Amino acid sequence: MEIYISNTGDKPIYAQIAEQIRAKILSGELRAGDALPSIRVLARELRISVITTKRAYEDLEKEGFLHTVPGKGCFVAAQNPELLREAVLSTVEQHLQAAVDAARAGGVADAEVAEILSLLMEGDSHGEPFGDPGAL
């Protein structure tokens, strides 16, 4: 499993790990029942503390993305479709907020932002309408 750590950002390392694993689960790259590397193996591969890796796994377990089987390891949990939808919506909101902030900082009018979003949604290559619950 590839995870990239940045030492230059503001985000703690455990949060970077959790964010990347969460993204792999949401994208379907990691599926329910898939085993994750042990805490020690991942810590060794990333050259970080075992405590840091443990914190990332614990956070993901609290959020319902992982479950631990004593003596066997950590696995991707079966996902509740509503939980997945909320996680995706949260990610979309964060990206849209960043776009709105950038537009306002650059003096782009709200109507122009709405038009750009509308054009991007029309150009959706999936052929599915946005907001389709089956798209998750």
Side-chain angles (χ1 to χ4, degrees):
M1 178 169 59
E2 292 185 19
I3 294 181
Y4 301 98
I5 302 299
S6 170
N7 292 322
T8 59
D10 293 337
K11 195 172 287 190
I13 293 173
Y14 72 86
Q16 293 177 50
I17 294 167
E19 181 178 282
Q20 290 177 54
I21 292 173
R22 187 181 306 105
K24 289 176 187 298
I25 293 169
L26 292 173
S27 73
E29 185 177 334
L30 289 174
R31 300 180 198 278
D34 285 352
L36 270 65
S38 73
I39 290 171
R40 286 184 179 87
V41 167
L42 186 59
R44 187 172 48 245
E45 287 176 0
L46 297 175
R47 296 186 175 121
I48 60 172
S49 165
V50 171
I51 295 170
T52 301
T53 308
K54 184 177 186 220
R55 170 79 188 267
Y57 279 22
E58 285 175 346
D59 287 357
L60 288 166
E61 191 164 12
K62 286 178 191 170
E63 294 171 17
F65 287 99
L66 303 180
H67 69 92
T68 302
V69 178
K72 298 214 181 233
C74 199
F75 300 87
V76 176
Q79 297 302 303
N80 174 335
E82 196 57 38
L83 175 68
L84 285 176
R85 181 170 166 68
E86 285 301 316
V88 170
L89 283 173
S90 175
T91 300
V92 169
E93 287 174 14
Q94 290 172 13
H95 288 292
L96 288 174
Q97 186 62 57
V100 167
D101 293 346
R104 289 196 173 138
V108 178
D110 290 355
E112 289 176 285
V113 173
E115 183 179 351
I116 292 167
L117 180 59
S118 179
L119 289 170
L120 290 171
M121 290 173 66
E122 286 174 16
D124 178 35
S125 62
H126 299 296
E128 297 283 330
F130 276 64
D132 177 20
L136 296 177

